[in-house]
Amino acid sequence: MAKLNNANELKELRQKLAQETFKPDALRARVCCGTACTATGAYKVIEEFKKESANSGIDLEIVKTGCQGICQKGPVLKLEPMDIFYQRTKPESVPWIMSYSILGNMPYRQGLYRDNFLSEPVPVMTDVPFYKKQKRIALRNNGKIDPCNIDHYLAVGGYAGLEKALSSMSPDEVLAEVDKANLRGRGGAGFPAGRKWKHTKSAPGSIKLVIANGDEGDPGAFMDRSIMEGDPHSLLEGMALCAYAIGAQYGIIYVRHEYPLAVKNLWIAIKQAEDMGLLGKNILGTDFSFTMDIREGAGAFVCGESTALVASIEGERGFPRPRPPRLSEPGGGAWGYPSNLNNIETYACVPVIIEQGSDYFLSIGTETSPGTKVFALTGKVKNTGLVEVPMGITLKEIIFDIGGGILGDKQFKAVQTGGPSGGCIPASFLDLPVDFDSLSSVGSMMGSGGMVVLDEDTCMVDVANFFLSFTQSESCGKCPPCRIGTSQMLKILQRITSGKGEPGDIQRLLDLGKNIQKTSLCGLGQSAPNPVLSTIKYFREEYEEHIYDKYCRANVCSGLGAFVIDQNECFRCGLCKAACAFNAVTEMRDRFIIDRTACTQCKACYTACPIKAVKIRKQRHVILEEVFKIPTEKIEVIDRRAKMNLGDIMKTKTSYELFAMTPGHKVTDAIKLMNDRNISAVMVVDENQKLKGMITERDIVRGLSKGAVFLNDKIENIMTREVITFTPFTEVSAAISVVANKKVRHLPVVDGDRIVGMITYRDLVSYVLPEIIYMAEDMY
Ligand SMILES: Cc1cc2nc3c(=O)[nH]c(=O)nc-3n(C[C@H](O)[C@H](O)[C@H](O)COP(=O)(O)O)c2cc1C
Ligand code: SF4
Ligand code: SF4
Ligand code: FES
């Protein structure tokens, strides 16, 4: 590999390679050799292609690419020039692909992508819904090039940004371009890279470092791994541009040791770039020198935190330390040298900004969050994998258009973004445009790009428990709020999910969470309570059900609920009885029944029943059903309604007219109004429309019995002055209790001094509990 002595030589080489590599007419298979596709047999597929093409004398170029995104459908490959995309490719499909597509120039239908079993197959990659709304900047070369071949990177325009910077831009100009692009850090907090670069550049001292954070500790995240494995030169080029801009001489990539392929491909790329004179001393014959190294971390989540990462690089234990000094300041970075730390994806965007200009970058995404973001889309979604989308795309577009919707066409419940530091966003925010600020505004965060989709079968308390158990076990233990606080929160959560939750537990979680956020030293502790706090905010009802009803609506938590066998569904296979280790299932002459006094709620029968005839219900529902013979559906409706408030009832009234008179009006006027409008009460207000009392049919009857002559009597003489008022937030159950105890039939609803509505006894009866009819009939 000949060393390039100047930018011109690089330009000429790039132009030559662009013409010679990836010729448009050549037969080519771009086979994904990312970690997921390798695990599902990509190399066996390649072997088969080699064998078949040798046997039939076909000259087939095979490009072993990095991750193409749709990992769940691997091994995937793209066949050119016919432009056919194959998924879930098996070695035995290769001869068919060869004869159909290479010899016959048509797709082999069985190997194509389909939305579902019955839908038409999609031959072209860009027509597959998963790829349709994506926009690739950071992943621009993933799936196109062989990451171990620098010629491939150069052929698709690689190192053009570095060439442009070294030949025609000063370091300040490079920095200004990144600053203008408002490139925000993709590692979590979204801090503008340009501002960080300026801090490090302005720090005193002649030795400076550029560090890339490839720790990627979020469970399920693999954005950075895919870039390091699939396009390592884009990271090297981005880091070199940063070094040039801030005057740094050394670069370190910090990678977790669970990423061996990333480390291997990065070392290959570094060696190739050094051999070509694109890294090392006097790059492209200029005064700019930049030497790269890789440090492997032991794989602790806390080592992604900037100060812990620096400690780990230095060979110390990965303990965070207080700031200042920041990494960009003397004494703060690795071995005390001012260091610029950015995420892998952040650096990978830099070559595009320099080569194509900040205006191009600013033209994508939103005003405050330009560009794109890579997400690892996982969970209960049909298409999982890596997606790169323009900022501002809605959650719905990502989950339903790209992700294909919810597995099994179940109900969407929530999406967890930002990994263990993020939060759960409910269905009401599906139209939220995704960017750094919007996600924070609903109590979650972008984080590094983890996106876990949750469906109706997910227990939100269990989800909070899962993420908190991760952060609790990853806490470095240095500071008590994080070490002890997260473990206390976890104990409470485990108590709740095992059916031993106590009244007050929700408040305890809220108090502890807020204190841990405020008093922890580093971002791990500061963000650890987020999944718990956001699930309490949006799914409090589920916490209450676990605590008060001892019930988990998703049937996820063991030790909760009452187990019953639905006799209409049961076909008496007896598998539940066989599964029960506690002899709680009894076989009768014509049915199986569960003895709830012997049942330990272990869920074995629930799992064993092949037709889901074993049901888990709320204890009190089962009693109502069995003792009072009220059907389950009715109980559920009653329950749901009883949890609503008066504001909900008001919203259901299609038209709303409020009638009010002053105390000086005559009683006969009130009677006329009641008669004309078919109402049984009128509100009495003063000149400021402030509620003073009510005049009801009952007041009139009482007045008559006392011998009143209404022709001249004023309302104030017979009106009820002590009126009980409610707010729209008064729970329906509380209103029912007032109706029952105080024997009132009209409930004025106020907001401060303003009258906003009137709920009648009849509204409650028709809206809420059929039982209240019995109760009320007794009373009136
Ligand atoms: C507990 C914890 C873990 C983190 N893990 C990562 C990580 O794996 N990758 C990453 O880039 N940033 C991670 N960060 C954020 C980094 O501290 C730092 O802000 C980031 O690397 C800066 O790069 P950026 O500005 O390009 O995002 C983590 C922060 C905390 C508190
Ligand atoms: S907040 Fe947690 S992880 Fe961070 S320093 Fe304190 S104990 Fe360690
Ligand atoms: S939940 Fe467990 S203990 Fe209860 S009936 Fe089913 S198998 Fe038996
Ligand atoms: S590893 Fe092949 S598509 Fe991701």
Side-chain angles (χ1 to χ4, degrees), residues 174-210:
V174 172
L175 204 158
E177 203 62 30
V178 172
D179 196 30
K180 192 175 157 217
N182 191 15
L183 170 64
R184 297 178 66 174
R186 268 47 178 168
F191 190 82
R195 266 166 61 195
K196 202 187 273 187
W197 290 20
K198 274 189 212 160
H199 285 150
T200 323
K201 188 178 172 89
S202 62
S206 55
I207 298 181
K208 288 179 187 162
L209 307 182
V210 170

Side-chain angles (χ1 to χ4, degrees), residues 681-701:
V682 178
M683 279 183 276
V684 184
V685 296
D686 65 11
E687 60 282 4
N688 299 319
Q689 299 296 308
K690 201 171 161 193
L691 189 68
K692 291 279 141 210
M694 303 260 293
I695 173 159
T696 64
E697 282 173 343
R698 206 190 282 169
D699 294 323
I700 294 165
V701 175

Side-chain angles (χ1 to χ4, degrees), residues 151 188 205 246 254 260 290 429 546 553 624 640 728:
D151 285 354
I246 68 171
Y254 184 83
F290 184 54
F429 291 115
H546 280 75
R553 64 172 71 176
L624 281 173
R640 225 177 18 250

Side-chain angles (χ1 to χ4, degrees), residues 563 576 579-582 584-585 594 598-606:
F563 286 70
C576 54
C580 182
F582 303 92
V585 183
I594 292 176
C599 172
T600 60
Q601 296 142 306
C602 73
K603 279 178 71 180
C605 55
Y606 176 80

Side-chain angles (χ1 to χ4, degrees), residues 173-471:
E173 282 169 338
V174 172
L175 204 158
E177 203 62 30
V178 172
D179 196 30
K180 192 175 157 217
N182 191 15
L183 170 64
R184 297 178 66 174
R186 268 47 178 168
F191 190 82
R195 266 166 61 195
K196 202 187 273 187
W197 290 20
K198 274 189 212 160
H199 285 150
T200 323
K201 188 178 172 89
S202 62
S206 55
I207 298 181
K208 288 179 187 162
L209 307 182
V210 170
I211 306 176
N213 190 343
D215 187 56
E216 198 161 55
D218 292 12
F222 59 108
M223 297 74 60
D224 297 342
R225 169 164 66 75
S226 290
I227 295 172
M228 291 186 282
E229 284 178 2
D231 190 18
H233 284 286
S234 71
L235 169 64
L236 303 186
E237 188 181 355
M239 291 177 75
L241 284 163
C242 172
Y244 177 68
I246 68 171
Q249 304 79 12
Y250 302 101
I252 298 172
I253 306 170
Y254 184 83
V255 195
R256 58 176 41 229
H257 83 120
E258 288 103 322
Y259 285 179
L261 184 58
V263 174
K264 178 176 155 250
N265 288 0
L266 281 168
W267 274 127
I268 293 172
I270 291 172
K271 173 85 173 62
Q272 289 173 342
E274 279 173 352
D275 288 350
M276 272 202 174
L278 296 165
L279 281 181
K281 291 227 172 299
N282 302 108
I283 295 172
L284 294 176
T286 65
D287 290 342
F288 171 54
S289 301
F290 184 54
T291 309
M292 295 282 303
D293 198 356
I294 299 174
R295 288 284 158 137
E296 284 181 63
F301 180 54
V302 75
C303 286
E305 194 277 340
S306 52
T307 59
L309 180 142
V310 162
S312 176
I313 285 179
E314 291 170 354
E316 301 294 328
R317 182 174 168 183
F319 255 175
R321 60 154 178 83
R323 281 170 290 178
R326 294 188 195 143
L327 264 59
S328 53
E329 293 161 351
W335 301 284
Y337 297 117
S339 306
N340 181 82
L341 176 73
N342 274 122
N343 165 259
I344 304 292
E345 189 185 330
T346 316
Y347 284 123
C349 292
V350 173
V352 175
I353 293 171
I354 298 304
E355 196 207 341
Q356 304 206 35
S358 52
D359 286 341
Y360 167 70
F361 196 74
L362 286 164
S363 71
I364 302 159
T366 63
E367 202 181 332
T368 56
S369 306
T372 55
K373 178 75 193 92
V374 185
F375 289 99
L377 185 62
T378 55
K380 303 288 183 66
V381 71
K382 285 179 187 161
N383 304 325
T384 58
L386 270 197
V387 299
E388 183 170 0
V389 285
M391 300 267 196
I393 191 169
T394 63
L395 284 169
K396 196 192 259 167
E397 285 173 288
I398 299 180
I399 296 164
F400 287 89
D401 297 348
I402 297 175
I406 309 302
L407 268 179
D409 290 323
K410 293 202 169 168
Q411 202 70 27
F412 168 81
K413 188 168 198 176
V415 56
Q416 214 280 350
T417 67
S421 315
C424 289
I425 304 172
S428 52
F429 291 115
L430 265 177
D431 287 321
L432 188 81
V434 175
D435 67 23
F436 287 103
D437 310 306
S438 60
L439 290 179
S440 316
S441 73
V442 296
S444 186
M445 64 188 291
M446 180 81 84
S448 54
M451 191 175 271
V452 187
V453 178
L454 310 171
D455 72 1
E456 58 189 282
D457 293 337
T458 315
C459 167
M460 298 312 288
V461 191
D462 184 59
V463 166
N465 188 27
F466 168 79
F467 281 107
L468 192 75
S469 61
F470 175 80
T471 33

Side-chain angles (χ1 to χ4, degrees), residues 22 28-33 46 61-65 144-146 152:
F22 306 137
R28 187 179 307 111
R30 298 194 202 238
V31 185
C32 176
C33 293
I46 290 175
E61 183 191 356
I62 292 175
V63 183
K64 296 175 191 165
T65 76
K144 280 191 199 158
I145 63 167
D146 179 344
H152 281 190

